[in-house]
Amino acid sequence: MNELLSLNYGHIFEPELLKEISEIGILKEVKEGDKLMEIGQYITAMPLLISGAIKILREDSEGNELLLYFLEKGDTCALTLSFNRGQRKSEIRAIAELNTILIMIPIQKMEEWSSTYKSWRNFIFDSYQNRLQEMLDTLDSIAFMRMDERLLKYLRDKQKLSNSNELQSTHQDIAYEMHTSRVVISRLLKKLELEGRINIQRNKIELLNLN
């Protein structure tokens, strides 16, 4: 764990903080599709991502999901700190988007280290800022972008995240994450295929030209 921490966070945290993380952190590997956090669950730890990606989802009263943002290498989800205050339950769902390696930190350490280490305090503040901006981007796309524009943005984000031109998702998967119907997504994907921008296969979409 010491080597992983140094490679991924050595440029951010003091040696003393890296030592503390290595002593209490729990190294964890999760597979694509594994659930790390469920809505209504009490949060006991926060993740430091070493590799892979985690998607953060919100759910409405009817069980429909909306993709809020992704966590990638070098990220954490500082929103877990706000959920922990007063022992509130989580209002988000976290699922591994890719095979992921992370270090789980006990939630109690977040505030303790914020008063002890300047680098940690800055790291958490930057995480708040980044997550807020990503949620605002999500809101903007819903409020101001047409559905076809939102779909293109979604496909580009997935392509960048996986560093691959193949998206292993069904039309229903995409509809869930974009909070719309499968019929709408299927129609828009077919249009993109006719334009030569994607190639639709069974449970897979080949991304050809999304510019």
Side-chain angles (χ1 to χ4, degrees):
M1 188 189 297
N2 288 332
E3 184 177 351
L4 289 174
L5 279 170
S6 296
L7 286 173
N8 292 277
Y9 294 94
H11 62 294
I12 301 175
F13 300 144
E14 301 97 327
E16 296 80 8
L17 177 54
L18 291 172
K19 184 174 183 294
E20 283 205 52
I21 294 173
S22 67
E23 289 174 350
I24 68 168
I26 298 175
L27 189 65
K28 189 173 183 177
E29 296 186 30
V30 293
K31 294 182 179 180
E32 179 182 340
D34 285 354
K35 190 177 295 183
L36 287 86
M37 173 59 58
E38 182 54 281
I39 295 168
Q41 179 181 341
Y42 286 108
I43 298 173
T44 59
M46 58 162 283
L48 292 178
L49 267 71
I50 301 298
S51 65
I54 297 171
K55 59 185 175 185
I56 304 300
L57 304 155
R58 193 89 162 96
E59 186 180 85
D60 67 14
S61 58
E62 297 180 354
N64 299 307
E65 291 182 329
L66 175 65
L67 176 64
L68 295 180
Y69 53 81
F70 292 102
L71 300 177
E72 301 179 67
K73 176 182 175 181
D75 284 342
T76 189
C77 189
L79 292 178
T80 54
L81 178 58
S82 63
F83 293 144
N84 184 61
R85 297 188 178 199
Q87 292 297 304
R88 289 197 296 124
K89 296 179 180 180
S90 173
E91 297 174 12
I92 58 174
R93 176 176 295 127
I95 298 175
E97 175 71 10
L98 306 170
N99 293 337
T100 300
I101 299 175
L102 47 91
I103 298 173
M104 300 303 293
I105 307 295
I107 200 75
Q108 301 92 322
K109 287 294 182 180
M110 289 187 67
E111 291 192 77
E112 178 184 325
W113 288 344
S114 291
S115 61
T116 306
Y117 299 106
K118 181 179 179 181
S119 64
W120 181 262
R121 186 165 58 250
N122 291 339
F123 178 66
I124 295 301
F125 178 77
D126 289 343
S127 175
Y128 270 124
Q129 292 292 100
N130 292 337
R131 303 296 82 80
L132 176 60
Q133 184 59 55
E134 287 164 344
M135 284 194 290
L136 289 176
D137 289 344
T138 298
L139 289 173
D140 285 348
S141 70
I142 294 172
F144 306 122
M145 296 175 70
R146 302 191 313 267
M147 183 57 72
D148 58 341
E149 294 173 326
R150 285 182 59 201
L151 178 58
L152 271 175
K153 179 180 182 300
Y154 173 91
L155 295 175
R156 290 188 190 109
D157 288 346
K158 288 277 192 173
Q159 185 180 43
K160 179 181 177 182
L161 190 70
S162 63
N163 195 30
S164 171
N165 290 328
E166 288 189 355
L167 177 58
Q168 304 286 338
S169 295
T170 67
H171 296 193
Q172 187 63 69
D173 292 335
I174 298 172
Y176 274 137
E177 293 189 354
M178 293 187 63
H179 201 52
T180 187
S181 71
R182 183 190 60 78
V183 173
V184 169
I185 293 300
S186 295
R187 175 173 56 81
L188 292 175
L189 287 173
K190 189 62 179 178
K191 181 174 180 289
L192 289 174
E193 185 176 43
L194 291 173
E195 293 173 354
R197 306 177 81 171
I198 64 172
N199 180 29
I200 300 174
Q201 302 174 33
R202 183 174 178 81
N203 296 334
K204 183 171 68 174
I205 301 170
E206 184 180 7
L207 310 176
L208 302 175
N209 179 20
L210 300 182
N211 297 326

